[in-house]
Amino acid sequence: MKNEGMESIFMQMPIGYARLASSVEKTAPRRQYILMDANDTFFHCWGLNRETSLNQEISQLLNDVSDTSAWENFYENLNHAKKEKPFIINIGECSFQVTLRRSGRSKEITAFFTDITGIYQQLQTEQCKNEKLAEDIDIFFNSTQDGLFIVNYVNGEFRYLRNNMAHQNLTGLTAQQLRGKTPVQALGETGALLQNGYQKCVDSGESLIYEETATFNGKSRRWLVRLTPVKENGQVSYIVGSRTDITDLRRLEIEKEQLLENLNSMFTSHSAVMLIVDRENGRILDANPKACSFYGYTKEELLAMNMENINGTIHHSQIHSLTETDRYFLYPHRLKSGEIRMVDIYTSLITYEGKKQLFSIIFDVSDREKFKDDLSKEKELLSVTFNSIGDGVVTTDNEGLVTSLNKAASDITGWKNEEAFKKPFDEIFDLRNEATGESASSPISEVLRTGKTVGLANHTVLFDKQGYIVPIADSAAPIRDEKGQMYGVVMVFRDVSQEKTQQERILYLSYHDSLTGMFNRRYMEEELLRIDRPDNLPIAVIMGDVNGLKVSNDVFGHKTGDLLLKSVAEAFQQTIGEMGVSARWGGDEFLVLLPKTDAGKAQKLVRKLEETLKKNDSLPFKISVALGIDVKFDENIPFHQVLQKAEERMYHKKLMEGKTYRNSIMNSLLSTLYERSTETIEHSLRMEAICLSIAEKLNLTLEERDELSLFAMLHDIGNVGVRTELLTKPGPLDEEEWKELRRHPELGYRIAQNTPELSMVSEYILSHHERWDGNGYPRGLKGTDIPLLCRIMSIADSYDAMTNDRPYRKAMEPQAAKEEIKKLAGKQFDPYIAEVFLELDDPDL
């Protein structure tokens, strides 16, 4: 850079410059300094006149400035310039970092003033964000390096509420020493100084940022203070403040060479990126070595470039519009490698080679911006996590005031987070004893009192905002920082309505039969112990066993069997009522206990129960229950003997009534079959006649003929378990319908097996749809493996079916039917029996 150009830049740049010569007079109380030279920025920031100020003693010039504290700070540091450490002064509304350099060959001192007001404004913005975050997530209160404190303002008086660990370390004042005290009570004369700042914040009602010198622990330090008022109903109630020790703040710009010896080194050797840019077209006019290093270009390459090549988001027309008021920008800059870095740009207008151009100091802030982005994402993640927790979570401060509710807590209580904020916990959580309705002790208060984790008492319910009762379970715990300092309470709770309902359901099922709703065996065994007392004598016992349950399940399905048991249970409960206790004792057994009931009363109840069972018409057959009675008169007789006696009498009655009931069941089944299908008694009789005619030709025994007659009547009894619409369908059956229909031989087999009088034909019923060629069902038997009576029945059944009307076709002529049987002989039918059938004398059979 040309010397005259550098001189011009130096005198016009936004960094203030002053050259001072020291002189020592033995009579003077302290060292004196003569202002030898300075640029316009220096005179502007102090409000001095160039013509009248040069070659004057600095103490005389600065005694008249308005900001005496700034002057004292500046003058004090002049006497220690050999340390070459930067310091901060506030002149008016501006903040400057001052760097002093002492010449190695003379008594001269050079002072540089860097305007950092914009940086402080940015710090204030960041601080506000951090404080908001601290309100949402209290743990950050003690995570920040800034000393934070909260002051309560009531009736014109300031009292400290709390301070974080950083503040305690900075000031030496613990939370206990500070809490509840006025600044003067806590800090004496220093407190009076601090209180002035608090009062200014209250008076203005706005956030303040300023510097002050205050003494803590016997040490006087320079502090950067930020105060933010918190208003309630338009009035300031609290002040949230931060205090940062800036005594040893590093200078923002490190100059590598002594500026007095080589003014050019300020531009060429500075650690900050510096550019001079043409306002008209954005062309780079000059760049310091740091800029070359940062962007990765040589100086020649940079001077051949335009700012648009580095910052693709800006146009040269925008560069031209920049004025003195546009001092700070945040832009993405592209390096030669293609990497994008975020930079802070501080600009000012200077005269360069006779024109107004832009002088820019550029700082790489990519890490800072990434931290801000990460912090924002972390805050969002914390918020999402907080509100995604299935249990309700509520936090309070040390006063028991609610600070946050997550979504689950809002759903359970009916209170929104903003409605509950800063309200007393007991106002939001109306906890009561479920049984008495009395208020339950507050877990928050208990934690605040003891500092320990506590849980709610059993049977505690919450009255939500709408007054609905919500059973809850919870635990509350103190919120502590790493040093064990408690600054609130967190309570985690959940709605246990479903759990409670489930527990009640489990308890119910443990003592009740799930099918009938009656008491079960477990309950009855416990009830036996409660009832078996002398004052309950005589105690009658009724034992019942349901007849035909297996037949009902096999024939009509388990739904009908379940309906049978429910109907019996309903009859027991209706008849017994409150006279005793009835229960389902086993699969098809029922038990009744009747305290203070003799045999006569028990017999009357049994007759009444039997009448109730007879009246039931919800099933396709009559309900029958074998009942046995015994009575305990003597307390010395073991109860199990009474139960055993009642059971023996029940089984005796079951044996006596068994055959009659089975006949009743069979008649009901046949009646049902004839009602639901095309089967008729006439069909069965015709079948019997044909079968007996063939049997006579085959010389079958009388016993075989009797079995054949019974078989003819019952061969299709399994159809009672097939849907009516399949039995009467006028068209062909689909594959699934055929599968269901082909089940009827197996169903008929089970019916016959469960009836001793019919068991001899059960095998025939199972096999009556087998074919001679092995293509029948259900077992695919072939030839003579098929029982003889089934081979006879197959021809008789087919002939009768062909010669009588069916839902899906008209009847065939007898001769055509015989031709069909002849055709299928050896395939579907036994060829010999088919020949015998076709030779029968009666043409109409």
Side-chain angles (χ1 to χ4, degrees), residues 552 556 559-571 574 612-624 672:
S552 175
F556 298 103
K559 287 186 178 180
T560 301
D562 290 346
L563 180 59
L564 171 60
L565 291 173
K566 290 179 182 178
S567 300
V568 173
E570 183 179 350
Q574 179 182 341
T612 302
L613 292 169
K614 288 179 181 179
K615 293 177 182 178
N616 188 290
D617 57 0
S618 61
L619 295 164
F621 49 83
K622 296 296 183 181
I623 300 176
S624 174
T672 301

Side-chain angles (χ1 to χ4, degrees), residues 299-310:
K299 185 171 183 178
E300 290 72 19
E301 288 174 327
L302 281 175
L303 297 184
M305 296 172 65
N306 189 290
M307 282 303 296
E308 294 180 43
N309 302 131
I310 295 175

Side-chain angles (χ1 to χ4, degrees), residues 392-412:
V393 181
V394 57
T395 61
T396 73
D397 57 20
N398 283 336
E399 302 299 323
L401 302 179
V402 174
T403 54
S404 65
L405 294 173
N406 72 346
K407 184 178 183 302
S410 295
D411 292 341
I412 295 172

